[in-house]
Amino acid sequence: MQSLRWSLTLYAATIAPMEERTHFGFEQVSSDEKKDRVMGVFSSVANKYDMMNDLMSGGMHRLWKCRMRQCAAVRSGQTVLDVAAGSGDVALGHLKKLGASGRVILSDLNDPMLREGARRMLDDGHLPGRADCIQADGSKLPFADASMDCVSIAFGIRNFVDIEAGLAEFYRVLKPGGQFICLEFSKPVLPLLDVVYDTYSFHVIPRLGKWVTGDSESYQYLVESIRRFPDQQRFSRLISQAGFDLVRHENMTGGVVALHRGYKL
Ligand code: SAM
């Protein structure tokens, strides 16, 4: 018994601290636990995801995605990858811009979310070959180097265990001249907006989540993960460090959301 206790102490003192730690909202967890729990969050909300987006943002997410569509460097005949595609809003925007020819790949870690995306593609008349759904971790993409004309991601990257690994993968799969475009929650820059936004986020959103989906914890994670994500400047630096050039961002809704862009030259 004594030797078992010593072994456990030795394990805690040596092996356990070496395990990679990260954050899940405001909690410290291991990288594997974060990946599992992010999976759990999106499996839990998948069938109410679109409705909750409209409710939480008062429909604003449609305007943010509309601006993303305008700025996406997507042309007829291209191959476009939307990472963390979820229920497919961004992919549908790309398909409109592609016109008659070209292909959009929707990739997501989570099968229930990707199934929502696949259903929407089919409902909109986009068959496999034109819109393909591939389950994958955005930081380990199953695509060849320099195979994509544009890589987009909306409200996905803050859920990654390793953001830098994700950015490196986006850079790897882009063709030279290709664009990376990312929509993500960011840091409010208008006076007092942060106070109003914090009150709304921490007091209203988890209750709304509970009321609509029966799950307040997933929405508590959502607001905490937003606070943990790097602000506009720090995230821009990470994009540059991944190798992207001509990196810039624009704030929307006073910095609640930022649209980042960079190019592989
Ligand atoms: N892009 C969609 C949109 O804007 O409506 C969905 C965004 S949803 C908030 C976040 C998505 O990121 C979920 O579908 C989730 O499964 C996905 N996700 C989380 N971690 C991921 C990872 N490591 N790789 C790929 N997708 C991931």
Side-chain angles (χ1 to χ4, degrees):
M1 190 60 187
Q2 186 68 8
S3 70
L4 175 65
R5 208 171 294 133
W6 282 339
S7 308
L8 288 175
T9 311
L10 193 64
Y11 171 81
T14 54
I15 314 289
M18 284 159 58
E19 197 179 53
E20 228 177 287
R21 304 294 286 175
T22 184
H23 49 80
F24 175 80
F26 292 164
E27 279 180 67
Q28 287 293 312
V29 296
S30 71
S31 299
D32 287 347
E33 186 180 349
K34 173 162 180 173
K35 197 167 168 180
D36 288 349
R37 288 176 72 176
V38 166
M39 277 285 232
V41 163
F42 289 103
S43 298
S44 157
V45 304
N47 63 347
K48 298 264 172 57
Y49 176 78
D50 290 325
M51 192 201 340
M52 273 302 287
N53 263 357
D54 276 331
L55 283 175
M56 284 186 302
S57 71
M60 291 292 290
H61 76 107
R62 292 169 186 263
L63 299 178
W64 300 328
K65 287 170 181 162
C66 178
R67 178 68 186 146
M68 183 185 202
R69 180 167 68 235
Q70 283 171 352
C71 297
V74 171
R75 306 277 176 274
S76 174
Q78 292 187 331
T79 303
V80 181
L81 171 65
D82 186 41
V83 181
S87 57
D89 278 355
V90 174
L92 282 177
H94 291 329
L95 284 161
K96 281 199 186 91
K97 275 192 104 168
L98 282 177
S101 71
R103 176 184 179 216
V104 173
I105 300 168
L106 295 82
S107 104
D108 199 289
L109 183 63
N110 185 283
D111 184 56
M113 287 295 285
L114 201 54
R115 281 175 177 277
E116 291 295 318
R119 187 183 49 73
R120 276 184 80 198
M121 294 305 115
L122 292 170
D123 282 350
D124 217 54
H126 305 294
L127 301 178
R130 167 84 165 150
D132 292 303
C133 295
I134 295 174
Q135 190 175 5
D137 184 335
S139 53
K140 286 186 203 104
L141 291 170
F143 307 114
D145 296 357
S147 53
M148 305 292 162
D149 293 288
C150 177
V151 173
S152 60
I153 181 165
F155 305 117
I157 198 159
R158 70 171 191 284
N159 301 295
F160 282 29
V161 171
D162 187 343
I163 292 171
E164 282 97 333
L167 291 171
E169 274 298 82
F170 307 158
Y171 189 83
R172 181 185 68 75
V173 301
L174 265 178
K175 295 178 186 172
Q179 184 202 49
F180 166 59
I181 184 161
C182 174
L183 191 62
E184 190 50 89
F185 290 105
S186 206
K187 192 170 165 29
V189 291
L190 294 182
L192 289 180
L193 181 59
D194 52 348
V195 179
V196 177
Y197 180 53
D198 268 1
T199 309
Y200 176 71
S201 303
F202 285 101
H203 296 285
V204 179
I205 289 182
R207 288 190 174 91
L208 202 56
K210 172 109 188 140
W211 180 54
V212 177
T213 67
D215 171 6
S216 63
E217 277 168 30
S218 292
Y219 289 91
Q220 183 69 28
Y221 161 72
L222 171 85
V223 292
E224 291 179 4
S225 67
I226 291 170
R227 297 311 182 281
R228 292 300 309 245
F229 190 69
D231 66 16
Q232 292 83 334
Q233 283 70 29
R234 272 179 59 215
F235 188 50
S236 293
R237 275 200 297 281
L238 292 181
I239 297 173
S240 299
Q241 282 160 11
F244 289 100
D245 223 312
L246 304 173
V247 174
R248 64 181 155 150
H249 75 268
E250 61 184 67
N251 289 326
M252 291 188 260
T253 319
V256 167
V257 163
L259 182 67
H260 290 263
R261 277 177 271 179
Y263 298 82
K264 178 173 177 176
L265 296 185

